[in-house]
Amino acid sequence: MSADAANGAATVQMPEAAAADFIHSLFKPAHILVAISGGSDSTGLLAALAEHLKSLPNSDVTLSAATIDHGLRAESAGEAREAAAFCASLGIAHVVRRWEGEKPKNGIMAAAREARYGLLADIAAEISANVIVTAHTIDDQRETLAMRTARLNEGETGAGTGIAEAMLFDRRVWIVRPFLACRRADIRAYLGARGMSWLDDPSNEDVRYERVRTRKHLSQEPALFPRPEAGAARAALSDAAAAWLRDYVTVHAGALCAINSKALAADEAVIAYALSYLAAVFGGEPYGPGRERMRRILDFIGESRPGRRTAGGVVFDLRRDGLYLMRESRDIRPLVLAAGAVGVWDGRFRIVNCGASAIRVEAAGPTGTMEFPDELPKGAVQRARAALPKVIARDEGATVSVTITPYLAPFDRFLTRFNFTFANRLATCLGREPYMPPPL
């Protein structure tokens, strides 16, 4: 069935159809890890997948489940046990993992989400699952779009696509949302028809959280749904920007981005998309400059007068032969790594300490010696060279042994399928291995 066409024409699926479509779309063989909290959405997702797989005895698909106990409420351990009992009733292997350690006082929901994905990825690796599924619904999508639109009005960028149907986490495993076109009410009706119950999380009524406040507000609004073409448009923009990278961009030493002047005559939407992510990568940030700062950069480029501007910790150096991007030389903090430790320095480089003693990583500054091609502008080279990492042994006389690879801050932790083509092309520009392809 469909939502009101005048309100966005989003196709709404019933749970059974969504589960069948997902199983059909998977590359086989497959091992699915379902994240189940015990709430209606995740319970319905697991039940619908299990039901469909029973009708496909030779599907070459394995189903497992996991519950992450965040330890934020006294009832959470008991809820995890109830989820385990439900999985046992379906004959599905189940794992419970607890989020240990001190919890932050601020940003608890974001921290919990990070912890949940990390623990799920660990479990997936342990049981050799090649895809994780979560039960985000079209209701969650509406809330996310509303929250991102509110932030867009405050100057941020990237509101239109909402939750992606698939996302690569930490370059390790794809997380897919098969129920993203399903209504919560339909999922509950599906469970009710089968005599299956679910748990209600009281935090879903806690108005201290932005999502809860947004949900309550949307309950008073007409049934607006995300436009399905938004994701396709974003993917098409990613493709176009990837071709733009291929044709016009060269990256030197992971620190200096040279953009041919011909690139600046391309469609502004492509330039804005590409430059926003390039600024995020070369500034070591998960997000590009906000809307207003990006507008100023585009206007500066459009004037075609040589000069420099900064945004998001990145210098945009416009010259007659093209545009050069490099990290601004200030606010680069050192990183200390113990023997055998791995870390990300300045959001731009992944450092592995392969030696037997601790190291300190800092900006090379004026002493930087990295070689660059002679034809590049000397001023741009000096800035880029100064912002490269310099590794120092903490113990006098100790041998330094490290591996250093570029880190793509907007993509290496969370890469949506929308941005996959562009991210892969940029990884190639930086000499990185390609990202893991989606499992469907």
Side-chain angles (χ1 to χ4, degrees):
M1 62 180 173
S2 297
D4 184 352
N7 288 335
T11 299
V12 178
Q13 281 190 301
M14 299 304 290
E16 305 95 309
D21 285 351
F22 170 67
I23 295 295
H24 178 73
S25 70
L26 274 178
F27 293 126
K28 315 293 191 305
H31 185 171
I32 305 167
L33 176 64
V34 182
I36 179 168
S37 65
S40 61
D41 300 343
S42 60
T43 299
L45 175 59
L46 182 63
L49 290 173
E51 183 177 74
H52 185 70
L53 285 174
K54 281 186 178 179
S55 70
L56 304 171
N58 300 313
S59 65
D60 207 10
V61 175
T62 303
L63 195 61
S64 298
T67 299
I68 305 304
D69 177 4
H70 296 93
L72 299 175
R73 293 181 295 107
E75 304 85 357
S76 63
E79 292 167 354
R81 286 192 294 271
E82 289 192 44
F86 177 73
C87 292
S89 73
L90 297 177
I92 295 170
H94 177 263
V95 176
V96 176
R97 193 64 51 86
R98 187 177 174 87
W99 180 23
E100 303 288 359
E102 188 176 351
K103 310 299 190 293
K105 291 183 172 59
N106 298 310
I108 186 65
M109 291 194 77
R113 183 173 57 251
E114 278 268 350
R116 180 166 62 253
Y117 285 145
L119 291 169
L120 287 169
D122 291 344
I123 295 168
E126 292 165 13
I127 66 173
S128 299
N130 66 322
V131 59
I132 296 168
V133 297
T134 62
H136 292 84
T137 67
I138 202 166
D139 303 271
D140 297 313
Q141 183 73 283
R142 290 181 65 215
E143 294 159 11
T144 297
L145 284 168
M147 290 188 293
R148 290 185 183 175
T149 299
R151 294 182 193 128
L152 179 66
N153 293 335
E154 297 171 1
E156 293 190 15
T157 58
T161 53
I163 302 171
E165 64 158 333
M167 173 191 75
L168 179 62
F169 174 72
D170 202 29
R171 297 186 74 109
R172 289 198 282 165
V173 63
W174 279 90
I175 298 172
V176 182
R177 286 85 179 228
F179 271 11
L180 203 54
C182 297
R183 303 178 201 251
R184 182 164 296 121
D186 293 331
I187 298 169
R188 291 182 172 186
Y190 169 85
L191 290 171
R194 287 155 180 78
M196 296 178 178
S197 61
W198 61 88
L199 302 170
D200 286 316
D201 184 345
S203 64
N204 288 329
E205 299 298 323
D206 191 338
V207 294
R208 290 178 298 173
Y209 300 126
E210 179 190 16
R211 182 171 291 276
V212 175
R213 296 193 300 273
T214 302
R215 182 178 303 139
K216 290 183 177 297
H217 172 73
L218 287 174
S219 68
Q220 309 301 318
E221 297 292 325
L224 298 173
F225 292 95
R227 294 182 178 274
E229 65 269 21
R234 185 74 173 185
L237 188 56
S238 170
D239 293 347
W244 185 88
L245 279 181
R246 180 197 64 216
D247 294 341
Y248 300 119
V249 175
T250 305
V251 177
H252 302 276
L256 178 57
C257 179
I259 303 172
N260 189 288
S261 60
K262 294 179 181 177
L264 306 181
D267 179 80
E268 186 179 271
V270 173
I271 296 174
Y273 174 98
L275 287 185
S276 178
Y277 280 117
L278 285 170
V281 169
F282 285 89
E285 299 290 343
Y287 304 103
R291 182 174 53 172
E292 292 181 7
R293 284 195 290 176
M294 202 66 233
R295 182 69 260 169
R296 288 197 291 269
I297 292 297
L298 292 172
D299 290 344
F300 160 64
I301 293 170
E303 292 172 359
S304 301
R305 282 184 280 186
R308 291 191 295 275
R309 297 289 188 276
T310 60
V314 173
V315 178
F316 291 76
D317 188 346
L318 183 62
R319 299 178 181 249
R320 298 194 184 281
D321 64 334
L323 178 67
Y324 297 86
L325 274 62
M326 73 289 303
R327 173 72 163 92
E328 201 176 4
S329 59
R330 60 189 181 89
D331 297 328
I332 302 179
R333 298 179 180 179
L335 172 70
V336 174
L337 288 176
V342 180
V344 176
W345 176 76
D346 196 44
R348 296 181 295 132
F349 291 94
R350 183 177 185 270
I351 316 286
V352 181
N353 182 4
C354 306
S357 63
I359 58 171
R360 174 185 169 93
V361 187
E362 60 185 38
T367 63
T369 58
M370 174 65 70
E371 293 294 325
F372 288 83
D374 292 339
E375 64 269 18
L376 294 173
K378 290 184 179 179
V381 166
Q382 288 174 348
R383 290 187 195 90
R385 184 183 285 141
L388 280 165
K390 178 172 70 174
V391 182
I392 305 166
R394 298 275 284 178
D395 298 332
E396 187 175 351
T399 300
V400 171
S401 176
V402 298
T403 60
I404 302 176
T405 53
Y407 182 83
L408 282 67
F411 303 130
D412 276 10
R413 190 67 171 167
F414 297 104
L415 171 57
T416 67
R417 197 175 182 183
F418 302 136
N419 297 320
F420 183 75
T421 307
F422 179 83
N424 246 357
R425 172 53 58 179
L426 186 52
T428 298
C429 289
L430 285 158
R432 284 287 303 268
E433 68 279 7
Y435 289 94
M436 179 190 303
L440 65 170

PDB file of all heavy atoms in Angstrom, residues 180-197:
ATOM      1  N   LEU A 180      12.737  -0.321   6.806  1.00  0.00           N
ATOM      2  CA  LEU A 180      12.724   1.132   6.696  1.00  0.00           C
ATOM      3  C   LEU A 180      11.488   1.655   5.955  1.00  0.00           C
ATOM      4  O   LEU A 180      11.179   2.840   6.032  1.00  0.00           O
ATOM      5  CB  LEU A 180      14.005   1.610   6.003  1.00  0.00           C
ATOM      6  CG  LEU A 180      14.445   3.054   6.270  1.00  0.00           C
ATOM      7  CD1 LEU A 180      14.551   3.339   7.749  1.00  0.00           C
ATOM      8  CD2 LEU A 180      15.773   3.339   5.579  1.00  0.00           C
ATOM      9  N   ALA A 181      10.793   0.788   5.257  1.00  0.00           N
ATOM     10  CA  ALA A 181       9.546   1.183   4.592  1.00  0.00           C
ATOM     11  C   ALA A 181       8.320   0.627   5.299  1.00  0.00           C
ATOM     12  O   ALA A 181       7.222   0.622   4.737  1.00  0.00           O
ATOM     13  CB  ALA A 181       9.561   0.738   3.126  1.00  0.00           C
ATOM     14  N   CYS A 182       8.491   0.153   6.535  1.00  0.00           N
ATOM     15  CA  CYS A 182       7.371  -0.429   7.296  1.00  0.00           C
ATOM     16  C   CYS A 182       6.912   0.530   8.389  1.00  0.00           C
ATOM     17  O   CYS A 182       7.722   1.214   9.019  1.00  0.00           O
ATOM     18  CB  CYS A 182       7.789  -1.744   7.953  1.00  0.00           C
ATOM     19  SG  CYS A 182       8.237  -3.059   6.809  1.00  0.00           S
ATOM     20  N   ARG A 183       5.613   0.537   8.631  1.00  0.00           N
ATOM     21  CA  ARG A 183       5.053   1.316   9.734  1.00  0.00           C
ATOM     22  C   ARG A 183       5.097   0.478  11.022  1.00  0.00           C
ATOM     23  O   ARG A 183       4.866  -0.723  11.010  1.00  0.00           O
ATOM     24  CB  ARG A 183       3.586   1.667   9.470  1.00  0.00           C
ATOM     25  CG  ARG A 183       3.287   2.429   8.211  1.00  0.00           C
ATOM     26  CD  ARG A 183       1.782   2.610   8.137  1.00  0.00           C
ATOM     27  NE  ARG A 183       1.295   2.887   6.802  1.00  0.00           N
ATOM     28  CZ  ARG A 183       0.830   4.073   6.414  1.00  0.00           C
ATOM     29  NH1 ARG A 183       0.826   5.074   7.257  1.00  0.00           N
ATOM     30  NH2 ARG A 183       0.382   4.234   5.183  1.00  0.00           N
ATOM     31  N   ARG A 184       5.338   1.178  12.121  1.00  0.00           N
ATOM     32  CA  ARG A 184       5.339   0.495  13.421  1.00  0.00           C
ATOM     33  C   ARG A 184       3.981  -0.147  13.702  1.00  0.00           C
ATOM     34  O   ARG A 184       3.907  -1.256  14.240  1.00  0.00           O
ATOM     35  CB  ARG A 184       5.710   1.486  14.523  1.00  0.00           C
ATOM     36  CG  ARG A 184       5.785   0.879  15.906  1.00  0.00           C
ATOM     37  CD  ARG A 184       6.524   1.790  16.873  1.00  0.00           C
ATOM     38  NE  ARG A 184       7.907   1.954  16.463  1.00  0.00           N
ATOM     39  CZ  ARG A 184       8.475   3.134  16.167  1.00  0.00           C
ATOM     40  NH1 ARG A 184       7.763   4.250  16.235  1.00  0.00           N
ATOM     41  NH2 ARG A 184       9.736   3.198  15.789  1.00  0.00           N
ATOM     42  N   ALA A 185       2.916   0.534  13.331  1.00  0.00           N
ATOM     43  CA  ALA A 185       1.577  -0.015  13.575  1.00  0.00           C
ATOM     44  C   ALA A 185       1.385  -1.335  12.833  1.00  0.00           C
ATOM     45  O   ALA A 185       0.761  -2.272  13.365  1.00  0.00           O
ATOM     46  CB  ALA A 185       0.514   0.992  13.139  1.00  0.00           C
ATOM     47  N   ASP A 186       1.919  -1.447  11.621  1.00  0.00           N
ATOM     48  CA  ASP A 186       1.785  -2.692  10.860  1.00  0.00           C
ATOM     49  C   ASP A 186       2.623  -3.809  11.466  1.00  0.00           C
ATOM     50  O   ASP A 186       2.231  -4.986  11.438  1.00  0.00           O
ATOM     51  CB  ASP A 186       2.182  -2.464   9.400  1.00  0.00           C
ATOM     52  CG  ASP A 186       1.219  -1.547   8.664  1.00  0.00           C
ATOM     53  OD1 ASP A 186       0.034  -1.525   9.035  1.00  0.00           O
ATOM     54  OD2 ASP A 186       1.659  -0.842   7.732  1.00  0.00           O
ATOM     55  N   ILE A 187       3.785  -3.446  12.011  1.00  0.00           N
ATOM     56  CA  ILE A 187       4.629  -4.451  12.666  1.00  0.00           C
ATOM     57  C   ILE A 187       3.923  -5.005  13.899  1.00  0.00           C
ATOM     58  O   ILE A 187       3.897  -6.223  14.138  1.00  0.00           O
ATOM     59  CB  ILE A 187       5.995  -3.838  13.048  1.00  0.00           C
ATOM     60  CG1 ILE A 187       6.748  -3.366  11.794  1.00  0.00           C
ATOM     61  CG2 ILE A 187       6.831  -4.851  13.834  1.00  0.00           C
ATOM     62  CD1 ILE A 187       7.967  -2.514  12.101  1.00  0.00           C
ATOM     63  N   ARG A 188       3.298  -4.130  14.657  1.00  0.00           N
ATOM     64  CA  ARG A 188       2.596  -4.580  15.860  1.00  0.00           C
ATOM     65  C   ARG A 188       1.373  -5.422  15.494  1.00  0.00           C
ATOM     66  O   ARG A 188       1.057  -6.392  16.196  1.00  0.00           O
ATOM     67  CB  ARG A 188       2.218  -3.367  16.705  1.00  0.00           C
ATOM     68  CG  ARG A 188       3.451  -2.702  17.310  1.00  0.00           C
ATOM     69  CD  ARG A 188       3.138  -1.534  18.197  1.00  0.00           C
ATOM     70  NE  ARG A 188       4.362  -1.081  18.870  1.00  0.00           N
ATOM     71  CZ  ARG A 188       4.413  -0.139  19.801  1.00  0.00           C
ATOM     72  NH1 ARG A 188       3.289   0.456  20.202  1.00  0.00           N
ATOM     73  NH2 ARG A 188       5.568   0.202  20.346  1.00  0.00           N
ATOM     74  N   ALA A 189       0.721  -5.058  14.409  1.00  0.00           N
ATOM     75  CA  ALA A 189      -0.413  -5.876  13.959  1.00  0.00           C
ATOM     76  C   ALA A 189       0.057  -7.261  13.529  1.00  0.00           C
ATOM     77  O   ALA A 189      -0.614  -8.276  13.805  1.00  0.00           O
ATOM     78  CB  ALA A 189      -1.125  -5.168  12.800  1.00  0.00           C
ATOM     79  N   TYR A 190       1.215  -7.313  12.870  1.00  0.00           N
ATOM     80  CA  TYR A 190       1.805  -8.590  12.454  1.00  0.00           C
ATOM     81  C   TYR A 190       2.078  -9.468  13.675  1.00  0.00           C
ATOM     82  O   TYR A 190       1.746 -10.665  13.691  1.00  0.00           O
ATOM     83  CB  TYR A 190       3.099  -8.311  11.676  1.00  0.00           C
ATOM     84  CG  TYR A 190       3.954  -9.523  11.418  1.00  0.00           C
ATOM     85  CD1 TYR A 190       3.724 -10.349  10.330  1.00  0.00           C
ATOM     86  CD2 TYR A 190       5.015  -9.830  12.278  1.00  0.00           C
ATOM     87  CE1 TYR A 190       4.520 -11.464  10.096  1.00  0.00           C
ATOM     88  CE2 TYR A 190       5.805 -10.943  12.053  1.00  0.00           C
ATOM     89  CZ  TYR A 190       5.557 -11.760  10.964  1.00  0.00           C
ATOM     90  OH  TYR A 190       6.335 -12.868  10.741  1.00  0.00           O
ATOM     91  N   LEU A 191       2.682  -8.884  14.715  1.00  0.00           N
ATOM     92  CA  LEU A 191       2.977  -9.650  15.930  1.00  0.00           C
ATOM     93  C   LEU A 191       1.698 -10.081  16.637  1.00  0.00           C
ATOM     94  O   LEU A 191       1.577 -11.225  17.103  1.00  0.00           O
ATOM     95  CB  LEU A 191       3.841  -8.809  16.873  1.00  0.00           C
ATOM     96  CG  LEU A 191       5.276  -8.548  16.436  1.00  0.00           C
ATOM     97  CD1 LEU A 191       5.943  -7.530  17.357  1.00  0.00           C
ATOM     98  CD2 LEU A 191       6.082  -9.835  16.408  1.00  0.00           C
ATOM     99  N   GLY A 192       0.741  -9.162  16.708  1.00  0.00           N
ATOM    100  CA  GLY A 192      -0.506  -9.482  17.386  1.00  0.00           C
ATOM    101  C   GLY A 192      -1.244 -10.632  16.725  1.00  0.00           C
ATOM    102  O   GLY A 192      -1.827 -11.489  17.413  1.00  0.00           O
ATOM    103  N   ALA A 193      -1.210 -10.683  15.392  1.00  0.00           N
ATOM    104  CA  ALA A 193      -1.893 -11.751  14.664  1.00  0.00           C
ATOM    105  C   ALA A 193      -1.264 -13.108  14.939  1.00  0.00           C
ATOM    106  O   ALA A 193      -1.912 -14.151  14.747  1.00  0.00           O
ATOM    107  CB  ALA A 193      -1.862 -11.448  13.165  1.00  0.00           C
ATOM    108  N   ARG A 194      -0.012 -13.117  15.414  1.00  0.00           N
ATOM    109  CA  ARG A 194       0.696 -14.369  15.692  1.00  0.00           C
ATOM    110  C   ARG A 194       0.808 -14.636  17.191  1.00  0.00           C
ATOM    111  O   ARG A 194       1.539 -15.544  17.609  1.00  0.00           O
ATOM    112  CB  ARG A 194       2.074 -14.329  15.032  1.00  0.00           C
ATOM    113  CG  ARG A 194       1.983 -14.486  13.525  1.00  0.00           C
ATOM    114  CD  ARG A 194       3.163 -13.862  12.802  1.00  0.00           C
ATOM    115  NE  ARG A 194       3.017 -14.052  11.353  1.00  0.00           N
ATOM    116  CZ  ARG A 194       2.191 -13.315  10.593  1.00  0.00           C
ATOM    117  NH1 ARG A 194       1.452 -12.357  11.136  1.00  0.00           N
ATOM    118  NH2 ARG A 194       2.101 -13.547   9.286  1.00  0.00           N
ATOM    119  N   GLY A 195       0.134 -13.818  17.972  1.00  0.00           N
ATOM    120  CA  GLY A 195       0.153 -14.020  19.417  1.00  0.00           C
ATOM    121  C   GLY A 195       1.493 -13.724  20.054  1.00  0.00           C
ATOM    122  O   GLY A 195       1.812 -14.280  21.115  1.00  0.00           O
ATOM    123  N   MET A 196       2.277 -12.883  19.443  1.00  0.00           N
ATOM    124  CA  MET A 196       3.603 -12.537  19.963  1.00  0.00           C
ATOM    125  C   MET A 196       3.551 -11.183  20.664  1.00  0.00           C
ATOM    126  O   MET A 196       2.957 -10.229  20.153  1.00  0.00           O
ATOM    127  CB  MET A 196       4.625 -12.484  18.829  1.00  0.00           C
ATOM    128  CG  MET A 196       4.857 -13.812  18.132  1.00  0.00           C
ATOM    129  SD  MET A 196       6.032 -13.642  16.755  1.00  0.00           S
ATOM    130  CE  MET A 196       6.149 -15.348  16.193  1.00  0.00           C
ATOM    131  N   SER A 197       4.193 -11.088  21.814  1.00  0.00           N
ATOM    132  CA  SER A 197       4.215  -9.838  22.580  1.00  0.00           C
ATOM    133  C   SER A 197       5.570  -9.158  22.446  1.00  0.00           C
ATOM    134  O   SER A 197       6.516  -9.718  21.879  1.00  0.00           O
ATOM    135  CB  SER A 197       3.918 -10.125  24.054  1.00  0.00           C
ATOM    136  OG  SER A 197       4.895 -10.996  24.600  1.00  0.00           O
TER     137      SER A 197
END
